[in-house]
Amino acid sequence: MTRKGLLYGISAYGLWGLFPLFFKQLQHVGSLEVVLHRMVWSLAFVLLVLAALRRWTWLREALRSPRLLATFAVSSLLLAANWLTYIWAVNNGHVLDASLGYFILPLVNVALGFVFLHERPRPGQWLAFGIAAAGVLWLALLTGHVPWIALGLALSFGFYGLIRKLAPLGALEGMSLETMLLAPLAAVALLWGHQSGSMPAHDTHTWLLFLLCGPVTAIPLLLFSAGARRVPLSTMGILQYLTPTILLFLGTLLYGEPFAGPRLAGFALIWTALLLYSVDGWRHRARPAAA
C-alpha cells in the first residue's frame, strides 16, 4: 500500500461526501434537469481526459459488441437513477437518508453477491445483514413508510456495482461509454425542455455550475480508480464509510436535519451491523496471513 494511493482513496470518498455542498447550489433547478446537465457535461469532460491520455483503442471494440453495449445501457440507467435520487434527496432536505443509503450499501452488496454471484456469506455477515435489516425496519416503522430514498440509493448503486464488476471495461472507459449512451438522450431532453418552456432560462452563475458538473462527477471517480490500483481492497472497504459519515455530519450540523431519538436508534443498528461486518472481514483476512 502506498501513501499516494491512500491519499487518492481518501480524496475520492471525501469528495463524494462533500457533494451536497455543490448540488445545494443548484437547489433552484429541478433535479431532473440537473441530472440531464450532469450527463452532458460529464461526457464533455471524460472526452477531454480520453484525448489527453490518448486512450481510444477500447472504443472501437466496445462499439462492435452489442452485448457490451446492452450491458452498459443497463448500467447507465442505474447510474442515472442513482444520480436523480441522490440530487433530489440533497435538494429536498434528505441528506441523512442519503447517508443511510451509503451506510447500508456494503450489506446490500453481500446480498447481491449471494443471489447473483452464488457467494456464500459467512455467519458473521448474515448476522450483520439481519441487524441492518432490523434497523431499516425500525426506521420504516418510525416514519410510517419504507425509507425509499436510502434503499433506492443502495439498491441502484449496488446493482450498478454488480454490473460493473462483471463488465470488462475500466473505470474511465466504463464511465465514458455510459455517458456516451446517456448524453445524447439528455441533450435532446434539454433542448425539448427549453424550447417547450418546461425548463426555464438560467443566469451565467447557474450555467457555470452546470459546466462544473462534468469535473465534479468525473474527478472523484478517477481518484478512486487510481487509489484502488495502489491500495488493498480491504483498505478501500474501510475508506468507503468516509462518504456517509461526512453526509451525516453535513445533514445534522450544517443543514439541521433531525437526528435524535428513535432515528438515532435506527442508525445505531446500522452502525452495529457495519462494525460486525468489518470485524468479520478483518478476522477472515487475518487467518490466511497468520497461517
Side-chain angles (χ1 to χ4, degrees), residues 157-170:
F157 203 78
F159 276 104
Y160 172 77
L162 176 66
I163 292 176
R164 290 300 304 271
K165 179 181 177 65
L166 301 175
L169 292 182

Side-chain angles (χ1 to χ4, degrees), residues 20 36 63 138 142 160 173 197 203 241 253 275:
L36 294 175
L63 295 178
W138 170 257
L142 170 67
Y160 172 77
E173 292 82 358
D203 57 20
Y241 298 131
L253 301 179
L275 178 61

Side-chain angles (χ1 to χ4, degrees), residues 10-222:
I10 292 173
S11 299
Y13 286 115
L15 288 173
W16 277 327
L18 294 173
F19 265 14
L21 297 177
F22 176 80
F23 287 108
K24 281 282 189 181
Q25 306 304 311
L26 289 165
Q27 198 168 8
H28 59 287
V29 182
S31 301
L32 178 59
E33 185 178 359
V34 174
V35 170
L36 294 175
H37 276 284
R38 191 176 181 184
M39 294 172 185
V40 171
W41 300 114
S42 293
L43 174 61
F45 184 79
V46 296
L47 288 178
L48 289 175
V49 174
L50 288 172
L53 298 177
R54 297 181 180 179
R55 196 181 298 179
W56 299 103
T57 56
W58 62 273
L59 185 56
R60 181 178 299 175
E61 294 299 322
L63 295 178
R64 290 177 177 176
S65 173
R67 183 175 181 179
L68 183 67
L69 291 175
T71 299
F72 274 88
V74 175
S75 71
S76 65
L77 291 176
L78 287 168
L79 186 62
N82 183 268
W83 286 357
L84 181 60
T85 304
Y86 180 87
I87 292 172
W88 187 92
V90 166
N91 289 344
N92 287 274
H94 295 281
V95 175
L96 288 183
D97 289 319
S99 171
L100 176 63
Y102 290 109
F103 270 126
I104 66 177
L105 176 60
L107 302 171
V108 168
N109 289 335
V110 171
L112 293 177
F114 172 72
V115 174
F116 294 100
L117 302 179
H118 307 293
E119 297 175 352
R120 294 183 177 273
R122 298 180 294 275
Q125 292 178 317
W126 278 123
L127 178 60
F129 185 81
I131 294 174
V136 173
L137 179 61
W138 170 257
L139 291 169
L141 294 174
L142 170 67
T143 59
H145 60 82
V146 175
W148 67 267
I149 295 175
L151 290 177
L153 287 171
L155 289 172
S156 61
F157 203 78
F159 276 104
Y160 172 77
L162 176 66
I163 292 176
R164 290 300 304 271
K165 179 181 177 65
L166 301 175
L169 292 182
L172 175 60
E173 292 82 358
M175 183 182 178
S176 300
L177 185 55
E178 286 163 350
T179 52
M180 287 176 188
L181 294 171
L182 288 172
L185 299 175
V188 170
L190 286 170
L191 290 173
W192 178 85
H194 286 294
Q195 289 180 356
S196 65
S198 59
M199 294 180 183
H202 300 294
D203 57 20
T204 304
H205 176 70
T206 301
W207 275 103
L208 178 61
L209 292 173
F210 286 151
L211 289 171
L212 289 175
C213 282
V216 164
T217 299
I219 288 174
L221 181 62
L222 298 176

Side-chain angles (χ1 to χ4, degrees), residues 1-13 16 171 219-237 239:
M1 179 173 67
T2 67
R3 183 177 300 179
K4 182 180 292 187
L6 188 63
L7 180 61
Y8 286 149
I10 292 173
S11 299
Y13 286 115
W16 277 327
I219 288 174
L221 181 62
L222 298 176
L223 289 170
F224 171 81
S225 179
R229 289 195 299 267
R230 295 171 173 85
V231 174
L233 189 61
S234 58
T235 303
M236 295 299 286
L239 291 178

